[in-house]
Amino acid sequence: MTDVSATVDALRATFDAGTTRPLAWRLAQLDAVRAMIRERRDVFEAALMSDLGKPALESHVTEIAFVGDEALRTSKNLERWLTPRRARMTAAVAPARGRVVREPLGVVCVIAPWNYPFQLALSPVVGALAAGNAVLLKPSEIAPATSAALAHWLPRYLDASAVAVVEGDASVASEILEQRFDHLFYTGGGRVGRIVAHAAADHLTPVTLELGGKCPAWVADDLTDAELDAAAGRIAWARFVNAGQTCVAVDHVLTTPATQPRLEAALVAAVRRLYGADPSTSRDYGRIVSSGHAERLAGLMGSGRLVCGGDVDVAQRYVAPTVLADVDPASPVMSEEIFGPVLPLVTVADEAAAIAFVAARPKPLALYVFAADDGAQARWLAGTSSGALGVNAAIVHLTVPSLPFGGVGASGYGAYHGEHSIARFSHERAVLVKPLRPDTLRIAYPPYTRLKTAVLRHLVTRG
């Protein structure tokens, strides 16, 4: 059994020795991540198939290649991202020079979830290492095959003195949270997120919480049949990829009574295109992470009228792609994040009612709007708040490294990906350099003569 306290102490000793600071070391770790992906891809694809029934291509696109691309882009841009930025000086302190220097925080703890157990473990690790930190990674025990693969291979490719993988259940996680870190990065649900934030507060440790919540989509009345078919295809894929176990998946769809019948037909057709007449036989459709989660999802099927799907095989961890219509906003399926392949359709009077519906609920990690009207974007931006807004596209925003990925309010706080990861795992240190001669600061020292008063008032007064 891992001695968590000793592991953290060893990581801190490595950081304090300056091992992780050189740019060459950081780039070597990023290269090692890419080498591991190239050489052990089959191992991780098999682990993801075991844990989540993920098709190999889906695992590669949504998890493995995602991390490889993150490491590559970071390598290419890291030196530029770390270059100190000049800061403009005020007249009151002239002559002087100023700059902002990004420096590593220290020892970072990454607590990963089970739904994308490779991507959501290693993507923040890539950012933390690139920023020059030592890292403790806690994979999810609910995805045991992927956790074991990470624990086995990461120390064989990365600097084992600076990167540690600690496996275990909730008791191990609790022991980890008792340690002092310089940053805690947690991806998962709101209940555990509160526990993480509370534990971090004891050490005044900064925290990034990547949570989730119910991500809504609005489908407007102004879409042509062809546009509605395209929207339905994008919604269906975003809902049912990874068997719906995606934090930014479309959780429910808001539309009007006039559009709902067309949307229902378009969604049924989209599901058939994606997974065939019987998705249980599709090699491209995943499985639920556990029988317990499958049972929970089965309990949500009674909320509304069944449009398609509804089949559940708990023993096989199979839940069919399911669309429910005429769903009451107060029904069980609307009371919690679904996190599975069940898509409720909720009717509202119009767009204004849809905006009010979203604004009255906790801020989602992502919000999606499907509309032909160019003005829809401005109305939804003005009337709602969310981690991200996707217009006529869902979930793909997280694949764009120049966009920050993170939540707001109940969906979490702190963003990462690309340069945002470097900012997340760095301290931006203010540096001011002023010569001792001439000693211009003497103008600010007492006694405050009339001349000093006039000069200082002129220097510090704005507007």
Side-chain angles (χ1 to χ4, degrees):
M1 185 174 179
T2 302
D3 185 332
V4 175
S5 178
T7 299
V8 175
D9 288 344
L11 292 172
R12 192 167 299 284
T14 297
F15 177 79
D16 289 344
T19 302
T20 65
R21 287 180 175 267
L23 177 63
W25 182 91
R26 305 184 197 195
L27 293 173
Q29 305 313 300
L30 298 178
D31 288 344
V33 169
R34 295 172 58 214
M36 183 184 72
I37 287 173
R38 285 194 308 270
E39 297 167 12
R40 308 298 170 186
R41 186 188 71 188
D42 292 348
V43 172
F44 291 110
E45 286 179 355
L48 292 164
M49 172 59 77
S50 174
D51 289 332
L52 290 156
K54 286 194 181 189
L57 181 60
E58 184 176 306
S59 292
H60 182 71
V61 171
T62 64
E63 300 221 40
I64 299 170
F66 186 102
V67 173
D69 183 65
E70 182 90 352
L72 177 61
R73 289 176 181 271
T74 301
S75 294
K76 289 182 175 180
N77 293 284
L78 185 57
E79 186 172 10
R80 176 169 59 86
W81 291 343
L82 294 175
T83 300
R85 305 192 309 275
R86 291 183 61 183
R88 185 176 179 181
M89 296 291 98
T90 63
V93 299
R97 303 187 312 275
R99 65 187 189 275
V100 179
V101 178
R102 282 176 167 166
E103 62 179 24
L105 296 172
V107 180
V108 170
C109 176
V110 174
I111 302 177
W114 53 260
N115 60 321
Y116 286 84
F118 186 88
Q119 182 216 129
L120 295 179
L122 290 190
S123 184
V125 166
V126 163
L129 293 175
N133 301 285
V135 179
L136 184 148
L137 169 64
K138 164 65 173 70
S140 174
E141 73 279 9
I142 300 176
T146 307
S147 177
L150 290 169
H152 180 79
W153 290 111
L154 273 183
R156 286 164 171 77
Y157 280 85
L158 301 180
D159 184 343
S161 73
V163 182
V165 181
V166 176
E167 294 189 279
D169 58 14
S171 64
V172 174
S174 296
E175 187 179 355
I176 289 173
L177 291 176
E178 293 174 359
Q179 312 305 312
R180 180 179 69 84
F181 294 98
D182 298 288
H183 195 95
L184 270 168
F185 189 101
Y186 168 78
T187 304
R191 181 186 64 82
V192 177
R194 289 176 174 84
I195 295 172
V196 171
H198 187 273
D202 288 341
H203 296 291
L204 295 179
T205 299
V207 180
T208 298
L209 296 180
E210 299 294 345
L211 306 178
K214 299 183 73 63
C215 298
W218 159 248
V219 176
D221 290 339
D222 63 350
L223 299 178
T224 66
D225 288 344
E227 290 169 336
L228 188 64
D229 284 343
R234 295 180 184 189
I235 290 170
W237 172 72
R239 170 72 277 186
F240 301 125
V241 68
N242 199 36
Q245 299 163 117
T246 304
C247 59
V248 290
V250 177
D251 181 273
H252 55 281
V253 177
L254 304 171
T255 193
T256 66
T259 296
Q260 181 172 313
R262 297 166 60 217
L263 179 59
E264 289 181 25
L267 286 169
V268 171
V271 170
R272 181 177 287 268
R273 287 196 304 271
L274 292 171
Y275 305 114
D278 182 4
S280 68
T281 65
S282 171
R283 293 181 300 176
D284 301 322
Y285 185 65
R287 293 299 182 264
I288 305 305
V289 71
S290 71
S291 57
H293 282 268
E295 288 180 351
R296 177 185 64 83
L297 292 165
L300 301 177
M301 297 297 186
S303 302
R305 170 173 55 83
L306 185 66
V307 175
C308 68
D311 301 324
V312 178
D313 185 333
V314 171
Q316 296 298 316
R317 298 182 290 144
Y318 170 76
V319 176
T322 299
V323 178
L324 303 173
D326 304 326
V327 173
D328 186 335
S331 63
V333 77
M334 291 297 292
S335 65
E336 62 183 44
E337 184 178 4
I338 298 168
F339 224 69
V342 180
L343 180 64
L345 307 183
V346 179
T347 56
V348 293
D350 51 27
E351 184 186 59
I355 290 173
F357 184 99
V358 173
R361 287 161 173 77
K363 298 175 182 180
L365 184 56
L367 164 64
Y368 307 114
V369 173
F370 292 85
D373 177 12
D374 292 337
Q377 177 183 156
R379 293 191 294 272
W380 281 89
L381 278 172
T384 64
S385 177
S386 60
L389 172 65
V391 179
N392 296 328
I395 79 175
V396 294
H397 62 281
L398 65 86
T399 68
V400 181
S402 57
L403 289 174
F405 176 68
V408 59
S411 58
Y413 46 81
Y416 70 121
H417 287 175
E419 187 175 1
H420 304 286
S421 290
I422 305 303
R424 176 59 39 200
F425 294 113
S426 298
H427 167 59
E428 296 205 330
R429 192 174 192 177
V431 178
L432 184 143
V433 179
K434 182 173 174 61
L436 289 170
R437 290 183 160 224
D439 190 5
T440 58
L441 291 181
R442 292 181 61 185
I443 192 69
Y445 305 161
Y448 298 122
T449 64
R450 288 184 179 180
L451 176 61
K452 286 184 178 181
T453 299
V455 171
L456 282 174
R457 287 188 184 277
H458 173 74
L459 288 174
V460 302
T461 300
R462 299 289 185 268

